[in-house]
Each structure stands twice: as C-alpha cells, then as structure tokens.
Amino acid sequence: MQFKTTRPLGRTIHAGFAAAGAAALILSIGACSSQSQPEGAASENASSELVITAPWSRETAKGQDAGGAFMTIANEGSGADRLTGGSTPVAGDVQIHTVDMTDGVMRMRQLSDGLDIPAGDTVTLKPGSFHIMLMGLNHPLERGETVPLTLTFEKAGPVEVELIVKPVGSQGPEVGGGDE
C-alpha cells in the first residue's frame, strides 16, 4: 500500500507498508524539501528516508500507568532526522527516554530534545536503552493486542505505526524472553 501526502512548504512524505510475518511491520518514509535554497545550503535539501521495523510493547499489569514501546528506526536518507514525540489513544503522553548508569544505579530519563536519527544510520529502541514511554495509560496493555502509535519526527512529520503487545519479560519480536 502506498501513501503520498503533500505538506505545506513543498514537503512531501511517501509511506509504504509491508508485513513480514506477524511480528514485523515495515514503514518507509521519505521527507524532503523542494523549496529552492541559497547556494551552500545543501544540507537543507537533504532528506530523511526512515524505515521503521518491528514496533512492539510489553503487556502491563492492572493499575500500571506506564508502558514502553520499542522498534528499530533506520534512516536511509541523506539528511538526519529527529524523533521528537508522539501520541496514542491509549495514553495521555508519549515521551522519548534513555537509560543510563549514575553511581551504579540505572536511571531512566526523558530526552527533552528528542532522539537523533542520523543519516545512513540505524537507532534501536529496546529495553534498557533508548525507548518510548507511554505515560498515563487508559487501560492495561494486553498480550496480543495492537496499539496505534503516531510518532512525530522533526522532518518526516507524523508517522503511524502499530505496536504488537508482547508478554511481560519479552526482549522483542526476535529475541527470547517470553515471546512464546
């Protein structure tokens, strides 16, 4: 399925979806500016072409008000992009987080400026590393459920994905840890 949306200022987003098995959703996005730029502004014309694979989440317990979302984001374009946030009908807020060690204690913190997706690079959002937090859940996430999530990118704009909810303890669609 192909989607083409023209944005203000001549920006165009192309999106295509393909499923590779039940656990993988691939989303390809290209964003570029067609406005004329002054000489020396080549980086302004660079485009991000994002490929998002295997978006997933873990089931949550009754009363748990937050959950994580994970995926791989590859930027196959010539320009960097940035994941700045998102939205979902199942939570009040979507935040970009990282995990770091401070004085031997693992701490999660919000990335207020978002997460860079460099040109020609891949960023993996996974447990214990970069991830998305779904804050203020309206209901527990249940194993097998799919959850709509709109990601917001600085250049590519809004991108819709569906998270597949995996069992508690899962490390992802292709890694062991309770995916049975």
Side-chain angles (χ1 to χ4, degrees), residues 7-83:
R7 297 290 179 110
L9 304 175
R11 202 167 101 186
T12 303
I13 293 179
H14 307 276
F17 297 91
L25 171 67
I26 300 173
L27 177 60
S28 176
I29 299 137
C32 63
S33 174
S34 62
Q35 290 183 309
S36 58
Q37 299 291 329
E39 205 170 309
S43 64
E44 294 294 324
N45 289 327
S47 67
S48 67
E49 293 179 21
L50 305 176
V51 177
I52 300 173
T53 53
W56 65 283
S57 186
R58 286 184 182 142
E59 64 185 330
T60 59
K62 185 177 181 180
Q64 187 175 338
D65 67 350
F70 316 99
M71 63 199 70
T72 299
I73 305 170
N75 184 348
E76 298 178 351
S78 59
D81 209 333
R82 177 184 299 269
L83 176 60

Side-chain angles (χ1 to χ4, degrees), residues 132-168:
I132 296 169
M133 287 300 299
L134 310 176
M135 309 295 286
L137 290 173
N138 301 332
H139 63 80
L141 302 180
E142 297 181 16
R143 179 184 191 169
E145 173 184 20
T146 57
V147 175
L149 173 65
T150 301
L151 301 171
T152 306
F153 290 90
E154 189 173 77
K155 293 182 181 172
V159 177
E160 295 181 8
V161 298
E162 289 210 346
L163 304 171
I164 298 169
V165 180
K166 300 289 182 180
V168 171

Side-chain angles (χ1 to χ4, degrees), residues 97-178:
H97 282 220
T98 190
V99 176
D100 56 24
M101 292 293 282
T102 305
D103 297 325
V105 177
M106 188 176 284
R107 292 199 166 97
M108 183 173 60
R109 65 179 174 86
Q110 183 176 1
L111 298 173
S112 57
D113 291 335
L115 178 62
D116 285 328
I117 313 295
D121 206 354
T122 299
V123 177
T124 301
L125 283 66
K126 62 184 178 183
S129 184
F130 296 118
H131 60 280
I132 296 169
M133 287 300 299
L134 310 176
M135 309 295 286
L137 290 173
N138 301 332
H139 63 80
L141 302 180
E142 297 181 16
R143 179 184 191 169
E145 173 184 20
T146 57
V147 175
L149 173 65
T150 301
L151 301 171
T152 306
F153 290 90
E154 189 173 77
K155 293 182 181 172
V159 177
E160 295 181 8
V161 298
E162 289 210 346
L163 304 171
I164 298 169
V165 180
K166 300 289 182 180
V168 171
S170 178
Q171 293 300 307
E174 295 140 10
V175 181

